Amino acid sequence: MQEDKDFYRKNAWRDAPLFHQPWWLDAAAGEDWDVCVLKERDEMMAYFLYSSKKNFTAYQVIMPKLTQFLGPNYHLTETSVRKRQNGETEILQSLLQQLPSSAYFESRWHFRFQNWLPFYWKGFHQTTRYTYVLSDISSPGVLRESFSEKINRDINKAEKHFSIAESHDTRAFFRLLKKNFQGKKMQIPFEEKLLEKIFNACQKHNAGKIFLALDSAGKIAAGIFVVWDSVTAYYLIGGKDDDFGNSGATTFLFWNAFINLKDTVRSFDFEGSMIKGVENYFRSFGAEQKGYFEISKITSPLLKLKSGIHKAMRTR
């Protein structure tokens, strides 16, 4: 509802995660985001963020591209476990009642929220996914002690061949990403314009940087886009030029990002992956595994068929 959206813009919590900030949502989803709000008088007590689209298959609740999580946020003040659980369930039930009916529903939540029972009772499904988090990057020397031998070798190797530079050239970064995806025989899942909008918004709010690893001739070997809020930095997306082989350039970029942001944030979220090789890579930094929920529901027969076909293709 527009009233709730206007209220949220005016009263968004300062400590809300980056992806929950109105300016991020404007950049990532344009006009296609909305919010359900619980409030007492003029104070926001809880909310649920979502994005949507409407086409011939009807109304769908979706996740915007390049946005790790939306969903609920609330602060529990009760001291006893029983009262906290009761309060949490009541909050989620109230928010769920406000959500619009949809033919398709998909929402990823921050790993802090582990109670989805009210959604289960209403026929929603839950898939557990994983991210990897470094809880404290304030002391890079201490942090590096937890890296695997291979990660440390890659850093030592890459620092002899590459320099790190910050870049505002989203076009060059997008070309790198596109080439990386094409090398994996995959389509890049977003347009260059979206990357540019998000980067520009991050620049305006001092909340993101593109880091590039360059060889002696200035050629880009790898790049990462890192964004952050007041507490956590998030690895949004990155890519490497396979012409450089196993150069360690991406690992070197992460290491330099930790150093660059150690006085800005407390933690670093790799944003996870269910792909075996990528998961193992993130874990090699000594990062802690965090399970988070993807909540879904499909009521449209056509979309159920389409979803079943996609799942079948993924298992081949």
Side-chain angles (χ1 to χ4, degrees), residues 105-133:
F105 181 97
E106 180 184 65
S107 179
R108 292 195 301 270
W109 299 5
H110 188 272
F111 57 76
R112 185 164 69 87
F113 299 98
Q114 293 288 310
N115 180 2
W116 72 286
L117 277 172
F119 284 76
Y120 172 78
W121 295 330
K122 290 295 185 179
F124 288 76
H125 301 278
Q126 184 269 117
T127 300
T128 301
R129 298 187 176 277
Y130 294 98
T131 186
Y132 285 85
V133 177

Side-chain angles (χ1 to χ4, degrees), residues 149-190:
E149 290 184 8
K150 185 179 186 309
I151 292 295
N152 278 310
R153 284 199 307 270
D154 282 350
I155 294 171
N156 293 335
K157 176 175 64 176
E159 65 185 0
K160 297 175 183 177
H161 301 287
F162 303 109
S163 60
I164 303 298
E166 294 179 25
S167 175
H168 291 73
D169 190 347
T170 53
R171 181 169 296 181
F173 184 62
F174 186 80
R175 286 198 301 267
L176 174 71
L177 296 175
K178 190 173 182 179
K179 181 178 180 181
N180 199 195
F181 272 84
Q182 288 174 341
K184 299 173 184 175
K185 301 188 184 308
M186 297 169 62
Q187 288 274 346
I188 192 164
F190 56 88

Side-chain angles (χ1 to χ4, degrees), residues 1-9 19-20 25-26 29-37 47-52 59 61-62 64 70-71 98-100:
M1 293 177 58
Q2 189 62 45
E3 181 181 348
D4 280 348
K5 192 171 179 179
D6 292 341
F7 178 84
Y8 183 78
R9 284 187 183 279
F19 304 115
H20 288 195
L25 292 160
D26 289 339
E31 294 295 322
D32 298 326
W33 68 273
D34 215 327
V35 62
C36 303
V37 174
Y47 63 82
F48 191 106
L49 285 162
Y50 61 95
S51 183
S52 64
Y59 185 83
V61 172
I62 60 170
L70 290 179
Q98 293 186 39
L99 284 169

